[in-house]
Amino acid sequence: MEKEKRDEPVIPQTILTLNDDFSLIKRFIDGDESVFKVLVNRHKEKVRNLIFVTLNNADMIDDISQEVFISVFKKLDRFRFESQFTTWLYRITINKCRDHLRKVKIRSILSPFSASEEELSYSSSNLHDETEIQEIVRKAVAQLPIKLRTPLILKDFEGLSYQEIAESIGVEVGTIKSRIFRAREALKKNLEPWKKELL
Amino acid sequence: MMKWYNQNIKEQLSAYLDDELPKHEKDILEDKIISSPVLQSDVEAGRKTKEYVSSLKRLPEDEYFAARLIEKIKSEKSSHKIFSFLKKPVIAFGIISISLMGVLKFYPNFFPSFLSKQKSNLVDFYTQNLKPFIYVADLNSEDIFNFAFNNNLPLNKEDRQMLQLDRDSNGNQFVEVKFAGNNANVFNLSAFVKSFKFNKEQKYTVDSILLSHSDEISSHILVNEKNTVAVSPEIWNSHNAIRSDLLAYVASVNKEVSDRIMPVAFAANNVSPVSRVAAQGSHEDDTYFVFCPDTIFTQKLHVNKEELKNEIKRFKKEMSNHSDELNKLKRFKIDVKVFPDEFTSSQKMKVLIDSNICRIQIPQEIAMESLPDFESINSALDVAFDQLRNFQFDIRVETNESGGASVSTDKKKRKNVQKFEFKVGDENFVMPNPDSLANFFRFFFQDSSKTFKFNDRMNQDMEVFKKEMEKFKLDMEKMKKELQKELKKEAKKKEPIEI
């Protein structure tokens, strides 16, 4: 009897609405798989954008997003309701991006003649429109080490708090604070050639 | 210390921009910012950096993402359901073992026949649509000469892929498909023509002798669009036939040279029949060595040689009559039948595969079976061709301004050489002085066609050196005699004392 109690999901004492992530997950666990589509529609854009900014590779967005949600579908019945669903979702997404980068790195070692990482190729005199600036910033972010890139994106692009980022990545808040600072310093360095126009 | 302080402040500024500082730290930092223009500009730069990342454009919404995802999950689930019982390794292993036992009990030949069928399929696949070599390459006299003399034939000139015939250190014949390096053949057709000082008419005859073997070579090499190259061992006969024809011609044109290069008891009239015997020795059902992208194997192929030769003739005629070559190529057909169950896996065949070489050592039972007693003729041909190769070296001895002499083969020149180094065939020779060099050539070529000229200064130097050496020799002898005299005197003075 006590075991059954322990296995029951611990739902925070908040009022659950029909569209709340937790209530959707609970319904999914209870056997209503149709709610999964609702859950996907609620978060798909966050996941797709996070993948795009992290990898700076539009070709991989669809594949990795699908992998993320398939993984969510398989593991959702083990969700423990101890953190936000988004935090859990971000953690899965970040792990999938890391897996992909690892594969790319191995592939680049095995095939030394494959194209190397894109260089920041715009000259400062080229920076005329918004699209070019966007491209420069996107590439500059993509050049950051993944350790620094992820917290910076989660903070500045996704708007998560240090606490949420720490939970998603699985490190201390102090580490996140330090990594975000280092990421900004590195980004400034990457954008140095366009200092006059950008900073 | 200062550096650490600055870094700490900057880290605080970064957290301040994110609104992640506790109230009291925030108040202290704000006071510092107000009083420091440097910190103010840092805050401004940090804010801009943050803004650039936060204002990165979002992707346009993908409306059908969820639908695609659900479909994918459904398909994964259905395949998962079907084979879910196999997920348990014990059950899967048990089912596989039982099925294997069943198959082996009722069909003991299942695996051999399965493997045989697979092999047969592979052979069929790679031997389909085999065409004579002429389909992809038009051999010129230079190619055929290189084939006869340097044992290589270009299969694909662009990719520098070639067929090489040769013998290993134990004398075993082998055929290999390889990528050529950048080294050009040292002894080529023009060097050959130059060596024997052939006139225009004689050169034309040499060309026609070589080209007359083109069709024969083409019939021994079959290719198709799957990058398969099937080589008949009879190509060795063609190789020797070309060599014998060339030698016979050289002998008929220049008796003196012929006597010098032909081995003893190998008269010129022995050479010509080789070509005839080689031409007669072709079978219709030949074992071919098949090089394909996946594997190397031997296979009996039925090729109607007469039909093939006629096709080649027709093909050439059409090629010369029409400019639209590609259409003619498409129409070119030759019937090559594969013997389905006779891939010769039982035959022992040594295969060497390297990064750029695929080599097959020809089994004894296949090699030269069509030409009785060919081995002795062939080894004599080898000797003759080796001597021919040596014969072609045009060695020049030149003197330079500083008075030194240089020896060169072809156009290479060496200045101020102290000794004469050169290569004849595979042998390296070092001659210490011009006289020994001249004697060597007189001995080697048995004539004095090579003359060596040295300039006056060199001769004078040599003369002076010679005189000095003679003088030195005389002085030494004189000294020796004096010494001997002295020793005798000493010996007389010191007579032994009798006790």
mmCIF file of all heavy atoms in Angstrom, chain B residues 215-254:
data_model
loop_
_atom_site.group_PDB
_atom_site.id
_atom_site.type_symbol
_atom_site.label_atom_id
_atom_site.label_comp_id
_atom_site.label_asym_id
_atom_site.label_seq_id
_atom_site.Cartn_x
_atom_site.Cartn_y
_atom_site.Cartn_z
ATOM 1 N N ASP B 215 44.019 -5.499 -81.999
ATOM 2 C CA ASP B 215 42.759 -6.246 -81.867
ATOM 3 C C ASP B 215 42.925 -7.464 -80.975
ATOM 4 O O ASP B 215 42.032 -7.806 -80.195
ATOM 5 C CB ASP B 215 42.274 -6.706 -83.245
ATOM 6 C CG ASP B 215 41.945 -5.532 -84.130
ATOM 7 O OD1 ASP B 215 41.990 -4.393 -83.606
ATOM 8 O OD2 ASP B 215 41.662 -5.749 -85.323
ATOM 9 N N GLU B 216 44.085 -8.084 -81.116
ATOM 10 C CA GLU B 216 44.352 -9.290 -80.323
ATOM 11 C C GLU B 216 44.360 -8.945 -78.821
ATOM 12 O O GLU B 216 43.774 -9.660 -78.005
ATOM 13 C CB GLU B 216 45.700 -9.838 -80.758
ATOM 14 C CG GLU B 216 45.933 -11.270 -80.427
ATOM 15 C CD GLU B 216 47.334 -11.657 -80.848
ATOM 16 O OE1 GLU B 216 47.796 -11.220 -81.925
ATOM 17 O OE2 GLU B 216 47.972 -12.378 -80.070
ATOM 18 N N ILE B 217 45.015 -7.829 -78.508
ATOM 19 C CA ILE B 217 45.053 -7.397 -77.094
ATOM 20 C C ILE B 217 43.634 -7.099 -76.617
ATOM 21 O O ILE B 217 43.218 -7.503 -75.535
ATOM 22 C CB ILE B 217 45.946 -6.143 -76.921
ATOM 23 C CG1 ILE B 217 47.391 -6.468 -77.249
ATOM 24 C CG2 ILE B 217 45.851 -5.587 -75.501
ATOM 25 C CD1 ILE B 217 48.280 -5.246 -77.350
ATOM 26 N N SER B 218 42.888 -6.401 -77.481
ATOM 27 C CA SER B 218 41.504 -6.042 -77.118
ATOM 28 C C SER B 218 40.651 -7.256 -76.807
ATOM 29 O O SER B 218 39.752 -7.203 -75.971
ATOM 30 C CB SER B 218 40.849 -5.268 -78.253
ATOM 31 O OG SER B 218 41.262 -3.950 -78.213
ATOM 32 N N SER B 219 40.924 -8.347 -77.531
ATOM 33 C CA SER B 219 40.097 -9.536 -77.305
ATOM 34 C C SER B 219 40.469 -10.256 -76.014
ATOM 35 O O SER B 219 39.710 -11.072 -75.512
ATOM 36 C CB SER B 219 40.212 -10.482 -78.498
ATOM 37 O OG SER B 219 41.507 -11.026 -78.519
ATOM 38 N N HIS B 220 41.627 -9.951 -75.466
ATOM 39 C CA HIS B 220 42.042 -10.599 -74.217
ATOM 40 C C HIS B 220 41.651 -9.802 -72.984
ATOM 41 O O HIS B 220 41.810 -10.272 -71.863
ATOM 42 C CB HIS B 220 43.561 -10.816 -74.206
ATOM 43 C CG HIS B 220 44.024 -11.793 -75.228
ATOM 44 N ND1 HIS B 220 43.336 -12.949 -75.512
ATOM 45 C CD2 HIS B 220 45.101 -11.778 -76.053
ATOM 46 C CE1 HIS B 220 43.974 -13.607 -76.458
ATOM 47 N NE2 HIS B 220 45.028 -12.924 -76.809
ATOM 48 N N ILE B 221 41.191 -8.578 -73.195
ATOM 49 C CA ILE B 221 40.767 -7.756 -72.047
ATOM 50 C C ILE B 221 39.315 -7.339 -72.278
ATOM 51 O O ILE B 221 39.004 -6.670 -73.263
ATOM 52 C CB ILE B 221 41.639 -6.484 -71.904
ATOM 53 C CG1 ILE B 221 43.114 -6.864 -71.822
ATOM 54 C CG2 ILE B 221 41.251 -5.684 -70.672
ATOM 55 C CD1 ILE B 221 44.051 -5.682 -71.899
ATOM 56 N N LEU B 222 38.461 -7.762 -71.381
ATOM 57 C CA LEU B 222 37.041 -7.408 -71.507
ATOM 58 C C LEU B 222 36.674 -6.454 -70.377
ATOM 59 O O LEU B 222 37.160 -6.610 -69.250
ATOM 60 C CB LEU B 222 36.161 -8.654 -71.447
ATOM 61 C CG LEU B 222 36.503 -9.780 -72.433
ATOM 62 C CD1 LEU B 222 35.624 -10.994 -72.163
ATOM 63 C CD2 LEU B 222 36.340 -9.322 -73.861
ATOM 64 N N VAL B 223 35.849 -5.487 -70.676
ATOM 65 C CA VAL B 223 35.474 -4.498 -69.645
ATOM 66 C C VAL B 223 33.965 -4.251 -69.702
ATOM 67 O O VAL B 223 33.323 -4.552 -70.706
ATOM 68 C CB VAL B 223 36.204 -3.149 -69.860
ATOM 69 C CG1 VAL B 223 37.679 -3.270 -69.605
ATOM 70 C CG2 VAL B 223 35.956 -2.601 -71.251
ATOM 71 N N ASN B 224 33.421 -3.735 -68.636
ATOM 72 C CA ASN B 224 32.027 -3.273 -68.685
ATOM 73 C C ASN B 224 31.844 -2.036 -67.825
ATOM 74 O O ASN B 224 32.797 -1.552 -67.200
ATOM 75 C CB ASN B 224 31.045 -4.393 -68.299
ATOM 76 C CG ASN B 224 31.149 -4.802 -66.848
ATOM 77 O OD1 ASN B 224 31.792 -4.130 -66.043
ATOM 78 N ND2 ASN B 224 30.539 -5.909 -66.490
ATOM 79 N N GLU B 225 30.611 -1.537 -67.819
ATOM 80 C CA GLU B 225 30.346 -0.263 -67.151
ATOM 81 C C GLU B 225 30.406 -0.386 -65.623
ATOM 82 O O GLU B 225 30.373 0.618 -64.918
ATOM 83 C CB GLU B 225 28.990 0.312 -67.600
ATOM 84 C CG GLU B 225 27.740 -0.427 -67.141
ATOM 85 C CD GLU B 225 27.517 -1.752 -67.875
ATOM 86 O OE1 GLU B 225 28.263 -2.045 -68.823
ATOM 87 O OE2 GLU B 225 26.605 -2.491 -67.489
ATOM 88 N N LYS B 226 30.506 -1.630 -65.108
ATOM 89 C CA LYS B 226 30.573 -1.796 -63.648
ATOM 90 C C LYS B 226 32.022 -1.818 -63.168
ATOM 91 O O LYS B 226 32.319 -2.330 -62.083
ATOM 92 C CB LYS B 226 29.885 -3.098 -63.244
ATOM 93 C CG LYS B 226 28.400 -3.068 -63.505
ATOM 94 C CD LYS B 226 27.772 -4.408 -63.242
ATOM 95 C CE LYS B 226 26.372 -4.447 -63.787
ATOM 96 N NZ LYS B 226 26.260 -5.283 -64.987
ATOM 97 N N ASN B 227 32.906 -1.277 -63.992
ATOM 98 C CA ASN B 227 34.334 -1.223 -63.674
ATOM 99 C C ASN B 227 34.951 -2.612 -63.522
ATOM 100 O O ASN B 227 35.873 -2.805 -62.751
ATOM 101 C CB ASN B 227 34.603 -0.429 -62.392
ATOM 102 C CG ASN B 227 34.377 1.033 -62.607
ATOM 103 O OD1 ASN B 227 34.565 1.531 -63.717
ATOM 104 N ND2 ASN B 227 33.951 1.723 -61.580
ATOM 105 N N THR B 228 34.374 -3.576 -64.233
ATOM 106 C CA THR B 228 34.950 -4.922 -64.219
ATOM 107 C C THR B 228 35.994 -5.020 -65.329
ATOM 108 O O THR B 228 35.769 -4.530 -66.433
ATOM 109 C CB THR B 228 33.844 -5.972 -64.460
ATOM 110 O OG1 THR B 228 32.838 -5.775 -63.481
ATOM 111 C CG2 THR B 228 34.386 -7.379 -64.366
ATOM 112 N N VAL B 229 37.104 -5.627 -65.014
ATOM 113 C CA VAL B 229 38.133 -5.874 -66.029
ATOM 114 C C VAL B 229 38.412 -7.377 -66.004
ATOM 115 O O VAL B 229 38.834 -7.905 -64.978
ATOM 116 C CB VAL B 229 39.438 -5.105 -65.713
ATOM 117 C CG1 VAL B 229 40.474 -5.352 -66.802
ATOM 118 C CG2 VAL B 229 39.174 -3.620 -65.565
ATOM 119 N N ALA B 230 38.114 -8.053 -67.110
ATOM 120 C CA ALA B 230 38.376 -9.497 -67.200
ATOM 121 C C ALA B 230 39.575 -9.691 -68.119
ATOM 122 O O ALA B 230 39.578 -9.199 -69.247
ATOM 123 C CB ALA B 230 37.157 -10.215 -67.746
ATOM 124 N N VAL B 231 40.595 -10.349 -67.596
ATOM 125 C CA VAL B 231 41.838 -10.493 -68.361
ATOM 126 C C VAL B 231 42.089 -11.981 -68.632
ATOM 127 O O VAL B 231 42.078 -12.795 -67.702
ATOM 128 C CB VAL B 231 43.032 -9.912 -67.578
ATOM 129 C CG1 VAL B 231 44.300 -9.978 -68.409
ATOM 130 C CG2 VAL B 231 42.750 -8.485 -67.158
ATOM 131 N N SER B 232 42.304 -12.302 -69.889
ATOM 132 C CA SER B 232 42.623 -13.690 -70.226
ATOM 133 C C SER B 232 44.131 -13.888 -70.062
ATOM 134 O O SER B 232 44.916 -13.036 -70.481
ATOM 135 C CB SER B 232 42.213 -13.949 -71.673
ATOM 136 O OG SER B 232 42.856 -15.098 -72.127
ATOM 137 N N PRO B 233 44.543 -15.046 -69.484
ATOM 138 C CA PRO B 233 45.988 -15.286 -69.356
ATOM 139 C C PRO B 233 46.684 -15.332 -70.718
ATOM 140 O O PRO B 233 47.878 -15.179 -70.807
ATOM 141 C CB PRO B 233 46.084 -16.635 -68.653
ATOM 142 C CG PRO B 233 44.721 -16.994 -68.233
ATOM 143 C CD PRO B 233 43.744 -16.138 -68.943
ATOM 144 N N GLU B 234 45.890 -15.523 -71.765
ATOM 145 C CA GLU B 234 46.481 -15.562 -73.109
ATOM 146 C C GLU B 234 47.108 -14.240 -73.495
ATOM 147 O O GLU B 234 47.824 -14.139 -74.497
ATOM 148 C CB GLU B 234 45.416 -15.953 -74.130
ATOM 149 C CG GLU B 234 45.203 -17.440 -74.186
ATOM 150 C CD GLU B 234 44.393 -17.845 -75.400
ATOM 151 O OE1 GLU B 234 44.426 -17.122 -76.394
ATOM 152 O OE2 GLU B 234 43.725 -18.877 -75.319
ATOM 153 N N ILE B 235 46.830 -13.215 -72.713
ATOM 154 C CA ILE B 235 47.427 -11.916 -73.000
ATOM 155 C C ILE B 235 48.955 -11.997 -72.927
ATOM 156 O O ILE B 235 49.669 -11.249 -73.579
ATOM 157 C CB ILE B 235 46.858 -10.831 -72.052
ATOM 158 C CG1 ILE B 235 47.123 -9.463 -72.651
ATOM 159 C CG2 ILE B 235 47.413 -10.948 -70.648
ATOM 160 C CD1 ILE B 235 46.318 -8.359 -72.061
ATOM 161 N N TRP B 236 49.431 -12.984 -72.145
ATOM 162 C CA TRP B 236 50.880 -13.203 -72.086
ATOM 163 C C TRP B 236 51.412 -13.623 -73.457
ATOM 164 O O TRP B 236 52.511 -13.255 -73.846
ATOM 165 C CB TRP B 236 51.221 -14.281 -71.044
ATOM 166 C CG TRP B 236 51.369 -13.722 -69.686
ATOM 167 C CD1 TRP B 236 50.411 -13.600 -68.739
ATOM 168 C CD2 TRP B 236 52.562 -13.195 -69.117
ATOM 169 N NE1 TRP B 236 50.926 -13.028 -67.614
ATOM 170 C CE2 TRP B 236 52.253 -12.769 -67.819
ATOM 171 C CE3 TRP B 236 53.862 -13.029 -69.570
ATOM 172 C CZ2 TRP B 236 53.181 -12.202 -66.974
ATOM 173 C CZ3 TRP B 236 54.796 -12.465 -68.730
ATOM 174 C CH2 TRP B 236 54.460 -12.048 -67.452
ATOM 175 N N ASN B 237 50.614 -14.425 -74.148
ATOM 176 C CA ASN B 237 51.043 -14.858 -75.478
ATOM 177 C C ASN B 237 51.136 -13.662 -76.425
ATOM 178 O O ASN B 237 52.082 -13.548 -77.203
ATOM 179 C CB ASN B 237 50.063 -15.889 -76.046
ATOM 180 C CG ASN B 237 50.049 -17.152 -75.217
ATOM 181 O OD1 ASN B 237 50.965 -17.373 -74.428
ATOM 182 N ND2 ASN B 237 49.035 -17.971 -75.380
ATOM 183 N N SER B 238 50.125 -12.788 -76.339
ATOM 184 C CA SER B 238 50.144 -11.597 -77.184
ATOM 185 C C SER B 238 51.362 -10.746 -76.861
ATOM 186 O O SER B 238 52.030 -10.227 -77.749
ATOM 187 C CB SER B 238 48.895 -10.751 -76.942
ATOM 188 O OG SER B 238 47.768 -11.483 -77.239
ATOM 189 N N HIS B 239 51.630 -10.635 -75.568
ATOM 190 C CA HIS B 239 52.765 -9.849 -75.089
ATOM 191 C C HIS B 239 54.068 -10.369 -75.712
ATOM 192 O O HIS B 239 54.875 -9.617 -76.268
ATOM 193 C CB HIS B 239 52.761 -9.956 -73.556
ATOM 194 C CG HIS B 239 53.948 -9.389 -72.883
ATOM 195 N ND1 HIS B 239 54.938 -10.165 -72.362
ATOM 196 C CD2 HIS B 239 54.302 -8.112 -72.645
ATOM 197 C CE1 HIS B 239 55.853 -9.383 -71.819
ATOM 198 N NE2 HIS B 239 55.486 -8.128 -71.970
ATOM 199 N N ASN B 240 54.223 -11.690 -75.667
ATOM 200 C CA ASN B 240 55.440 -12.287 -76.219
ATOM 201 C C ASN B 240 55.458 -12.224 -77.742
ATOM 202 O O ASN B 240 56.525 -12.081 -78.351
ATOM 203 C CB ASN B 240 55.580 -13.732 -75.750
ATOM 204 C CG ASN B 240 55.969 -13.785 -74.291
ATOM 205 O OD1 ASN B 240 56.845 -13.044 -73.858
ATOM 206 N ND2 ASN B 240 55.299 -14.613 -73.522
ATOM 207 N N ALA B 241 54.271 -12.326 -78.320
ATOM 208 C CA ALA B 241 54.194 -12.266 -79.783
ATOM 209 C C ALA B 241 54.660 -10.894 -80.279
ATOM 210 O O ALA B 241 55.423 -10.808 -81.256
ATOM 211 C CB ALA B 241 52.766 -12.527 -80.239
ATOM 212 N N ILE B 242 54.252 -9.836 -79.575
ATOM 213 C CA ILE B 242 54.668 -8.486 -79.997
ATOM 214 C C ILE B 242 56.185 -8.355 -79.855
ATOM 215 O O ILE B 242 56.870 -7.849 -80.746
ATOM 216 C CB ILE B 242 53.974 -7.393 -79.137
ATOM 217 C CG1 ILE B 242 52.455 -7.541 -79.210
ATOM 218 C CG2 ILE B 242 54.363 -6.003 -79.599
ATOM 219 C CD1 ILE B 242 51.717 -6.769 -78.130
ATOM 220 N N ARG B 243 56.691 -8.859 -78.736
ATOM 221 C CA ARG B 243 58.136 -8.750 -78.502
ATOM 222 C C ARG B 243 58.921 -9.510 -79.580
ATOM 223 O O ARG B 243 59.922 -9.032 -80.096
ATOM 224 C CB ARG B 243 58.478 -9.303 -77.112
ATOM 225 C CG ARG B 243 57.772 -8.547 -76.005
ATOM 226 C CD ARG B 243 58.439 -8.625 -74.687
ATOM 227 N NE ARG B 243 58.665 -9.984 -74.215
ATOM 228 C CZ ARG B 243 59.377 -10.272 -73.146
ATOM 229 N NH1 ARG B 243 59.928 -9.318 -72.456
ATOM 230 N NH2 ARG B 243 59.528 -11.509 -72.759
ATOM 231 N N SER B 244 58.416 -10.713 -79.892
ATOM 232 C CA SER B 244 59.143 -11.517 -80.881
ATOM 233 C C SER B 244 59.085 -10.849 -82.252
ATOM 234 O O SER B 244 60.061 -10.843 -82.984
ATOM 235 C CB SER B 244 58.596 -12.934 -80.923
ATOM 236 O OG SER B 244 57.279 -12.916 -81.382
ATOM 237 N N ASP B 245 57.931 -10.263 -82.585
ATOM 238 C CA ASP B 245 57.815 -9.565 -83.873
ATOM 239 C C ASP B 245 58.789 -8.395 -83.950
ATOM 240 O O ASP B 245 59.444 -8.172 -84.965
ATOM 241 C CB ASP B 245 56.385 -9.046 -84.064
ATOM 242 C CG ASP B 245 55.466 -10.140 -84.613
ATOM 243 O OD1 ASP B 245 55.969 -11.253 -84.840
ATOM 244 O OD2 ASP B 245 54.258 -9.874 -84.779
ATOM 245 N N LEU B 246 58.869 -7.660 -82.832
ATOM 246 C CA LEU B 246 59.771 -6.508 -82.808
ATOM 247 C C LEU B 246 61.223 -6.952 -82.961
ATOM 248 O O LEU B 246 61.988 -6.360 -83.726
ATOM 249 C CB LEU B 246 59.617 -5.736 -81.489
ATOM 250 C CG LEU B 246 58.496 -4.699 -81.400
ATOM 251 C CD1 LEU B 246 58.534 -4.027 -80.048
ATOM 252 C CD2 LEU B 246 58.625 -3.654 -82.497
ATOM 253 N N LEU B 247 61.573 -8.017 -82.220
ATOM 254 C CA LEU B 247 62.951 -8.519 -82.288
ATOM 255 C C LEU B 247 63.276 -9.022 -83.702
ATOM 256 O O LEU B 247 64.370 -8.797 -84.214
ATOM 257 C CB LEU B 247 63.164 -9.639 -81.273
ATOM 258 C CG LEU B 247 63.286 -9.204 -79.827
ATOM 259 C CD1 LEU B 247 63.404 -10.427 -78.936
ATOM 260 C CD2 LEU B 247 64.497 -8.309 -79.634
ATOM 261 N N ALA B 248 62.314 -9.708 -84.298
ATOM 262 C CA ALA B 248 62.521 -10.235 -85.650
ATOM 263 C C ALA B 248 62.768 -9.087 -86.625
ATOM 264 O O ALA B 248 63.638 -9.176 -87.495
ATOM 265 C CB ALA B 248 61.309 -11.044 -86.087
ATOM 266 N N TYR B 249 62.028 -8.000 -86.411
ATOM 267 C CA TYR B 249 62.193 -6.858 -87.310
ATOM 268 C C TYR B 249 63.559 -6.196 -87.101
ATOM 269 O O TYR B 249 64.278 -5.889 -88.057
ATOM 270 C CB TYR B 249 61.070 -5.837 -87.102
ATOM 271 C CG TYR B 249 61.211 -4.659 -88.031
ATOM 272 C CD1 TYR B 249 61.031 -4.827 -89.407
ATOM 273 C CD2 TYR B 249 61.572 -3.409 -87.563
ATOM 274 C CE1 TYR B 249 61.195 -3.769 -90.282
ATOM 275 C CE2 TYR B 249 61.736 -2.346 -88.417
ATOM 276 C CZ TYR B 249 61.549 -2.529 -89.791
ATOM 277 O OH TYR B 249 61.740 -1.484 -90.651
ATOM 278 N N VAL B 250 63.925 -6.013 -85.816
ATOM 279 C CA VAL B 250 65.232 -5.425 -85.504
ATOM 280 C C VAL B 250 66.336 -6.270 -86.140
ATOM 281 O O VAL B 250 67.278 -5.744 -86.754
ATOM 282 C CB VAL B 250 65.436 -5.320 -83.963
ATOM 283 C CG1 VAL B 250 66.875 -4.984 -83.630
ATOM 284 C CG2 VAL B 250 64.506 -4.282 -83.376
ATOM 285 N N ALA B 251 66.183 -7.597 -86.030
ATOM 286 C CA ALA B 251 67.193 -8.511 -86.586
ATOM 287 C C ALA B 251 67.277 -8.372 -88.106
ATOM 288 O O ALA B 251 68.366 -8.419 -88.688
ATOM 289 C CB ALA B 251 66.841 -9.941 -86.205
ATOM 290 N N SER B 252 66.123 -8.202 -88.744
ATOM 291 C CA SER B 252 66.139 -8.109 -90.203
ATOM 292 C C SER B 252 66.734 -6.779 -90.673
ATOM 293 O O SER B 252 67.309 -6.697 -91.751
ATOM 294 C CB SER B 252 64.719 -8.277 -90.754
ATOM 295 O OG SER B 252 63.960 -7.139 -90.404
ATOM 296 N N VAL B 253 66.610 -5.752 -89.851
ATOM 297 C CA VAL B 253 67.091 -4.425 -90.258
ATOM 298 C C VAL B 253 68.577 -4.268 -89.934
ATOM 299 O O VAL B 253 69.355 -3.746 -90.724
ATOM 300 C CB VAL B 253 66.266 -3.311 -89.556
ATOM 301 C CG1 VAL B 253 66.869 -1.937 -89.789
ATOM 302 C CG2 VAL B 253 64.843 -3.340 -90.076
ATOM 303 N N ASN B 254 68.977 -4.721 -88.737
ATOM 304 C CA ASN B 254 70.341 -4.486 -88.291
ATOM 305 C C ASN B 254 70.930 -5.774 -87.709
ATOM 306 O O ASN B 254 70.703 -6.099 -86.545
ATOM 307 C CB ASN B 254 70.330 -3.368 -87.229
ATOM 308 C CG ASN B 254 71.708 -2.843 -86.941
ATOM 309 O OD1 ASN B 254 72.690 -3.574 -87.127
ATOM 310 N ND2 ASN B 254 71.790 -1.592 -86.504
#
